[in-house]
Amino acid sequence: MIPCNRNVLVEFYTENPYRKIETTETGLILGIETTKRYKSNESGEMEDSEEYVDIAKVLAVGPNCKNCQVGEDICVVRHVALPVPFRKKN
């Protein structure tokens, strides 16, 4: 699969590899979410939260792409990315 023009083909990580989990001297844990579920004020139901920006690995770049190279990790706005089914991956 080869992207055209300025398009980029990426694969999202399941977990953010750059998120650090640190413990302070007093024992406070920083850098970890307490939960990915929250209670919606609109519906009153428990819902899963979605991260707006995610980290992905660049698999291929189009011939006119000047901003990234194959193998780099980039931040991608998840709602702008277009999933392409290929070999049971998105």
Side-chain angles (χ1 to χ4, degrees):
M1 193 176 270
I2 301 171
C4 299
N5 301 323
R6 295 182 299 162
N7 294 321
V8 179
L9 182 65
V10 300
E11 182 176 11
F12 287 101
Y13 287 104
T14 54
E15 295 289 326
N16 186 341
Y18 298 100
R19 181 167 286 145
K20 292 183 184 178
I21 299 174
E22 301 175 28
T23 305
T24 63
E25 292 178 12
T26 59
L28 182 65
I29 300 173
L30 304 173
I32 192 168
E33 294 89 11
T34 55
T35 181
K36 289 190 173 190
R37 293 184 58 82
Y38 67 95
K39 186 172 183 179
S40 172
N41 291 333
E42 295 173 5
S43 66
E45 300 290 323
M46 293 300 290
E47 296 184 8
D48 293 324
S49 66
E50 258 186 68
E51 291 196 30
Y52 186 69
V53 175
D54 217 344
I55 306 296
K57 184 174 202 75
V58 177
L59 301 178
V61 296
N64 298 333
C65 179
K66 309 277 189 246
N67 298 325
C68 62
Q69 298 175 353
V70 174
E72 290 183 333
D73 291 340
I74 60 173
C75 294
V76 180
V77 177
R78 190 133 326 235
H79 300 291
V80 175
L82 177 65
V84 178
F86 182 72
R87 294 186 181 170
K88 298 183 180 181
K89 295 182 180 181
N90 277 344

